[in-house]
């Protein structure tokens, strides 16, 4: 989830600006070391979310218990709660790293009080933290499924949990048949797209830049997965509305990024014949789609029709893992 090449780099990953003392290439090892404070903050946030969800479940409150009444024992379902906590932290960090990427690659990055180099470093480290949080979210979901399949032998339990969590199309219960493959797609795209930044000097800056544009797809898939499967935003209440509203600055910055790209080659200009005309049509269509998304988010939040389920008068009858939510 790295940003596009900026004027401070030569396109191969080697820093060329005056702020670079070593003149060396940005490395994964260096960014992993720099990401430690960010990762520590993510652990603290995840712990706070976990504690909040744990206490809410213990009190018989919260939408998770409303959706799945059997989940009223946090001591039993603590791995599920930890998976939820990692998921929310991952989405928060994904939001942050996408926002940083859009800011640092936008037209006004040079006028910010924080230097471009600092923003770039924050973007890279939050990207690495996001990938780790996404993986932890999936692993804890797998751990909960392994715990649940107590009637099976250990090998069968581990395989069942792994397949349901990591094999696309394997999970066959309720909304998870769609939501889990969407989440898997987000994870499986995020890791290679994020790590390609560190080998762009080998694959070429232009190739990396083209592939990097799909990072926004990872974020869209992550939000979609949450809206479909997150029990905390299951009903059409204010948490779901807030989640929709948080997408407005992302879509707005993306629209600004497309309308006023920092690179001259990415500006819309006027259509010409041949292949350039086809490229112009694609760029114009992309801008129109993002504008439609901005309008759509505004309509959703103002109208309240955000896809949330109506809260039932009576709690639904459900049994473990034969449910609609995740």
């Amino acid at each position: 989830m790295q940003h596009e090449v900026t004027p401070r780099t030569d396109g191969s990953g080697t820093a060329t600006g005056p702020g670079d003392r070593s003149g060396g290439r940005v490395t994964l090892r260096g960014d992993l070391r720099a990401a430690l404070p960010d990762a520590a903050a993510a652990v603290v946030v995840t712990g706070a979310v976990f504690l909040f969800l744990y206490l809410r479940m213990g009190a018989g409150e919260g939408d998770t218990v409303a959706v799945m009444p059997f989940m009223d024992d946090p001591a039993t379902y603590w791995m599920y709660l930890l998976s939820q906590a990692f998921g929310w932290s991952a989405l928060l960090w994904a939001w942050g790293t996408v926002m940083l990427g859009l800011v640092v690659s936008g037209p006004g990055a040079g006028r910010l009080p924080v230097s471009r180099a600092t923003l770039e470093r924050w973007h890279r480290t939050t990207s690495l933290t996001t990938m780790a949080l996404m993986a932890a979210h999936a692993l804890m979901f797998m751990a909960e499924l392994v715990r649940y399949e107590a009637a099976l032998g250990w090998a069968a339990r581990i395989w069942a949990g792994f397949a349901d969590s990591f094999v696309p199309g394997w999970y066959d219960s309720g909304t998870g048949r769609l939501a889990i493959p969407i989440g898997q797609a987000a994870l499986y795209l995020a890791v290679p797209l994020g790590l390609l930044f560190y080998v762009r000097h080998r694959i070429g800056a232009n190739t990396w830049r083209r592939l990097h544009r799909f990072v926004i797809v990872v974020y869209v898939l992550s939000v979609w997965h949450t809206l479909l499967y997150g029990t905390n935003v299951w009903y059409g209440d204010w948490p779901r509305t807030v989640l929709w509203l948080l997408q407005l600055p992302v879509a707005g910055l993306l629209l600004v990024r497309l309308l006023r790209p920092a690179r001259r080659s990415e500006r819309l200009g006027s259509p010409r014949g041949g292949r350039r005309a086809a490229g112009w049509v694609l760029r114009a269509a992309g801008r129109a789609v993002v504008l439609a998304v901005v309008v759509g988010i505004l309509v959703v939040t103002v109208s309240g029709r955000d896809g949330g389920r109506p809260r039932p008068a009576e709690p639904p009858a459900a049994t473990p893992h034969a449910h609609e939510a995740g």
Side-chain angles (χ1 to χ4, degrees), residues 40-119:
V43 170
V44 171
V45 170
T46 302
V49 174
F50 171 75
L51 180 61
F52 173 77
L53 296 175
Y54 191 98
L55 294 176
R56 293 271 287 172
M57 180 178 284
E61 301 173 350
D63 286 344
T64 298
V65 176
V67 176
M68 299 175 288
F70 63 88
M71 279 195 169
D72 58 355
D73 182 7
T76 298
Y77 294 103
W78 67 270
M79 286 185 286
Y80 180 88
L81 293 177
L82 190 53
S83 174
Q84 279 192 322
F86 274 121
W88 282 112
S89 296
L91 190 62
L92 176 61
W93 254 255
W95 184 88
T97 197
V98 168
M99 290 288 288
L100 284 169
L102 290 171
V103 167
V104 80
S105 62
R111 297 191 295 270
L112 295 174
V114 180
S115 70
R116 184 187 294 269
T118 299
L119 289 172

Side-chain angles (χ1 to χ4, degrees), residues 29-218:
R29 178 180 297 180
D31 276 350
L32 285 172
R33 191 180 302 113
L36 289 177
D38 183 69
V43 170
V44 171
V45 170
T46 302
V49 174
F50 171 75
L51 180 61
F52 173 77
L53 296 175
Y54 191 98
L55 294 176
R56 293 271 287 172
M57 180 178 284
E61 301 173 350
D63 286 344
T64 298
V65 176
V67 176
M68 299 175 288
F70 63 88
M71 279 195 169
D72 58 355
D73 182 7
T76 298
Y77 294 103
W78 67 270
M79 286 185 286
Y80 180 88
L81 293 177
L82 190 53
S83 174
Q84 279 192 322
F86 274 121
W88 282 112
S89 296
L91 190 62
L92 176 61
W93 254 255
W95 184 88
T97 197
V98 168
M99 290 288 288
L100 284 169
L102 290 171
V103 167
V104 80
S105 62
R111 297 191 295 270
L112 295 174
V114 180
S115 70
R116 184 187 294 269
T118 299
L119 289 172
E120 290 176 350
R121 185 176 67 253
W122 289 351
H123 179 52
R124 295 195 306 270
T125 55
T126 52
S127 173
L128 293 172
T129 302
T130 300
M131 287 185 274
L133 291 169
M134 292 173 72
H137 169 60
L139 286 170
M140 290 311 303
F141 185 72
M142 171 184 165
E144 164 58 24
L145 296 179
V146 171
R147 181 206 64 79
Y148 169 70
E149 298 289 356
L152 302 177
W154 273 107
R157 291 169 69 179
I158 292 172
W159 166 248
F162 174 83
D164 279 343
S165 303
F166 292 100
V167 178
W170 197 275
Y171 193 91
D172 60 356
S173 174
T175 308
R177 288 175 290 186
L178 174 62
I180 286 183
I182 290 173
Q184 291 165 341
L187 175 62
Y188 297 154
L189 284 173
V191 174
L193 288 176
L195 296 182
L196 277 176
F197 172 83
Y198 301 100
V199 295
R200 63 181 182 172
H201 59 287
R202 296 182 181 275
I203 64 175
N206 289 333
T207 299
W208 170 79
R209 194 178 301 114
R210 293 189 185 98
L211 291 172
H212 182 68
R213 290 169 182 167
F214 290 97
V215 166
I216 195 65
V217 176
V218 174

